[in-house]
Amino acid sequence: MVTIPARRAVSLAGIAALVVGAGLVLLLQVIPPTDEISATRRTISEYGLSDHKWVFDLAVVLVALGSAAGLSVLHRQGRLPAPAAILGTLWTVGLLVIVAFPKPDWATVSRADFGGTLHRIASVVAFVALPLAVLVAARTAFPSSPGRRWLARVLAVASLGWFAVILGAVVVAAVSGGRWWTLIPLGLVERGMALTELVALAVLLAPVTADGRFATRRE
């Protein structure tokens, strides 16, 4: 009987949590009433204001738990530098804060309260911290796998590229006096960023063999 080492099992469970969490968010886009939320213009957090709030919350919590589990394995293996561990913690905590403090419902309020402000800050911190964590960890995590190290870095840079689009819109709006979220398809950009970051994290967390390849069976 083939058995899976405990740490590899935890890593795979973490990746599974990421996949299920992402799948739940995708599900929200095709089931009513959240299928009416524009995936192009509305942010992912908009699902948290719907009747399916519990599905959104579950999805984000699963991603947070999966991230924590996988990153803890890397740490125990000595493959996660301290700065990357701190950034990974910021990502995980940021996700939990997003759940604890929902996005303001702009249909009923004109300005964000304390919880809404915290939601915004947590979102920015989380989305920036994760790709930075992957960039910092790539060299230590894959000392014998230049190909996988390169893939992780490319995905991390691509994630920051998505965020740069948002920053660019903010700068343009500040100069022109417009509303930055109307200058770009914000929902599409955020979803692209989230997907790219989850793939980057999965690449980082996936178990490897002694020679740096993806582990597919018992060594």
Side-chain angles (χ1 to χ4, degrees), residues 119-207:
H119 179 95
R120 282 181 171 180
I121 294 173
S123 298
V124 172
V125 170
F127 278 127
V128 173
L130 179 59
L132 291 179
V134 174
L135 280 175
V136 173
R139 182 178 182 85
T140 303
F142 310 119
S144 304
S145 180
R148 189 167 167 186
R149 184 166 61 244
W150 176 85
L151 177 59
R153 286 173 171 168
V154 167
L155 289 169
V157 171
S159 300
L160 293 173
W162 285 110
F163 188 74
V165 173
I166 296 177
L167 286 182
V170 172
V171 172
V172 171
V175 174
S176 64
R179 297 178 177 179
W180 68 268
W181 57 89
T182 65
L183 300 179
I184 57 173
L186 181 58
L188 182 62
V189 171
E190 188 185 71
R191 284 165 175 78
M193 179 168 57
L195 178 60
T196 307
E197 293 197 1
L198 289 182
V199 174
L201 181 58
V203 169
L204 186 69
L205 301 185

Side-chain angles (χ1 to χ4, degrees), residues 15-196:
I15 294 173
L18 299 183
V19 173
V20 173
L24 288 175
V25 173
L26 291 175
L27 179 65
L28 288 172
Q29 192 56 55
V30 298
I31 62 175
T34 46
D35 60 334
E36 297 180 358
I37 295 176
S38 172
T40 303
R41 288 293 176 183
R42 299 295 183 179
T43 63
I44 300 173
S45 293
E46 196 81 17
Y47 299 130
L49 302 176
S50 71
D51 293 338
H52 295 321
K53 178 181 185 303
W54 70 271
V55 179
F56 170 77
D57 290 348
L58 176 60
V60 177
V61 169
L62 282 173
V63 172
L65 294 178
S67 301
L71 291 172
S72 68
V73 171
L74 288 180
H75 177 69
R76 289 178 176 274
Q77 293 175 333
R79 297 170 53 215
L80 189 69
I86 293 172
L87 290 166
T89 300
L90 290 175
W91 153 259
T92 303
V93 173
L95 292 178
L96 297 177
V97 171
I98 288 172
V99 172
F101 297 92
K103 172 185 177 179
D105 186 350
W106 298 114
T108 59
V109 300
S110 59
R111 58 185 300 177
D113 56 9
F114 173 77
T117 300
L118 205 55
H119 179 95
R120 282 181 171 180
I121 294 173
S123 298
V124 172
V125 170
F127 278 127
V128 173
L130 179 59
L132 291 179
V134 174
L135 280 175
V136 173
R139 182 178 182 85
T140 303
F142 310 119
S144 304
S145 180
R148 189 167 167 186
R149 184 166 61 244
W150 176 85
L151 177 59
R153 286 173 171 168
V154 167
L155 289 169
V157 171
S159 300
L160 293 173
W162 285 110
F163 188 74
V165 173
I166 296 177
L167 286 182
V170 172
V171 172
V172 171
V175 174
S176 64
R179 297 178 177 179
W180 68 268
W181 57 89
T182 65
L183 300 179
I184 57 173
L186 181 58
L188 182 62
V189 171
E190 188 185 71
R191 284 165 175 78
M193 179 168 57
L195 178 60
T196 307

